[in-house]
Amino acid sequence: MIISHISLSDKITLLTYGCNFKCKYCFFKPLACKKYKVEEILDKILEVNMSYGLNKILIAGGEPTLQKDLAELTKLLKDEGFYLMLSTNGYYLKDMLDKLEVDEIHIDLKAYDENKHIYLTSCSNKKVLDCIGYIGENKDEFNFKVEIDTVLIPNIVDLDEIEKIAKFLSNWDLPYRIT
């Protein structure tokens, strides 16, 4: 797994390298990245946990679902009793849902309108919307909480777009947070 940053607050945050989106407003600019075996990451996290007593871990990015060993890492961390949160753009998430062991998944839905999504990310949102719909339709079968997040961007992702997203999510009563 390629990690660009590990930070501490009320949780341990692992920022992974790489993203399939090219978001116009992305703040994530990794400077120094290092490839770790998942066992090395586990050892570092166990060390931090011993020193600071932090049992929550946020795996974000970049885009963590690009990491081929993400499922292996989540299993190791869950086996150690950590509470795991995954923050993702949702593009590749559907294909790995049955392999991940997490407590929460936060999907950042950039826009409901495909043209706006392409403008913001250079990618279609069809796979993201499909993933959210799949999770919504099967939410009782999953052992994780889900939250859909959107960044309010005046004149692009504004009230009319937020309403479209909220209406879409109301099909499954999924939690929605607007930043």
Side-chain angles (χ1 to χ4, degrees):
M1 177 169 285
I2 302 174
I3 300 292
S4 67
H5 187 73
I6 299 174
S7 67
L8 306 176
S9 59
D10 62 331
K11 63 186 147 296
I12 301 167
T13 301
L14 296 177
L15 297 181
T16 62
Y17 174 76
C19 188
N20 54 312
F21 286 1
K22 304 213 178 339
C23 297
K24 292 189 178 302
Y25 57 85
C26 184
F27 63 88
F28 184 65
K29 306 289 184 225
L31 298 176
C33 300
K34 185 174 177 187
K35 186 167 179 74
Y36 293 95
K37 294 179 181 172
V38 292
E39 294 82 7
E40 292 175 303
I41 296 171
L42 175 63
D43 289 344
K44 287 187 181 302
I45 289 174
L46 289 173
E47 185 179 312
V48 168
N49 187 42
M50 290 278 287
S51 298
Y52 298 97
L54 300 173
N55 68 342
K56 288 184 180 178
I57 299 173
L58 170 64
I59 303 172
E63 176 50 44
T65 61
L66 292 175
Q67 303 297 318
K68 297 192 183 322
D69 45 6
L70 178 63
E72 182 183 357
L73 178 64
T74 63
K75 179 173 180 6
L76 286 173
L77 294 170
K78 283 303 294 174
D79 286 349
E80 291 292 334
F82 287 100
Y83 186 92
L84 294 181
M85 299 168 284
L86 176 70
S87 179
T88 175
N89 64 31
Y91 195 86
Y92 295 115
L93 179 62
K94 185 177 174 186
D95 296 333
M96 59 178 24
L97 276 173
D98 61 336
K99 299 176 192 98
L100 295 174
E101 295 190 31
V102 296
D103 298 286
E104 292 182 32
I105 296 179
H106 297 241
I107 301 172
D108 187 5
L109 178 55
K110 311 293 186 190
Y112 183 78
D113 178 90
E114 184 175 24
N115 290 328
K116 288 182 181 185
H117 197 275
I118 291 169
Y119 170 76
L120 290 170
T121 69
S122 300
C123 289
S124 169
N125 63 353
K126 288 183 180 175
K127 287 182 77 169
V128 179
L129 294 173
D130 180 55
C131 178
I132 292 169
Y134 178 78
I135 289 172
E137 290 167 10
N138 299 285
K139 69 181 181 179
D140 295 334
E141 298 172 28
F142 293 118
N143 294 325
F144 56 79
K145 295 182 221 172
V146 66
E147 177 181 281
I148 311 305
D149 304 320
T150 300
V151 175
L152 178 71
I153 305 171
N155 301 317
I156 301 170
V157 180
D158 47 20
L159 290 181
D160 67 324
E161 191 69 10
I162 297 294
E163 286 178 12
K164 290 176 191 173
I165 295 169
K167 184 174 185 209
F168 172 69
L169 298 176
S170 72
N171 289 312
W172 310 283
D173 194 27
L174 294 176
Y176 185 38
R177 182 174 58 128
I178 304 159
T179 302

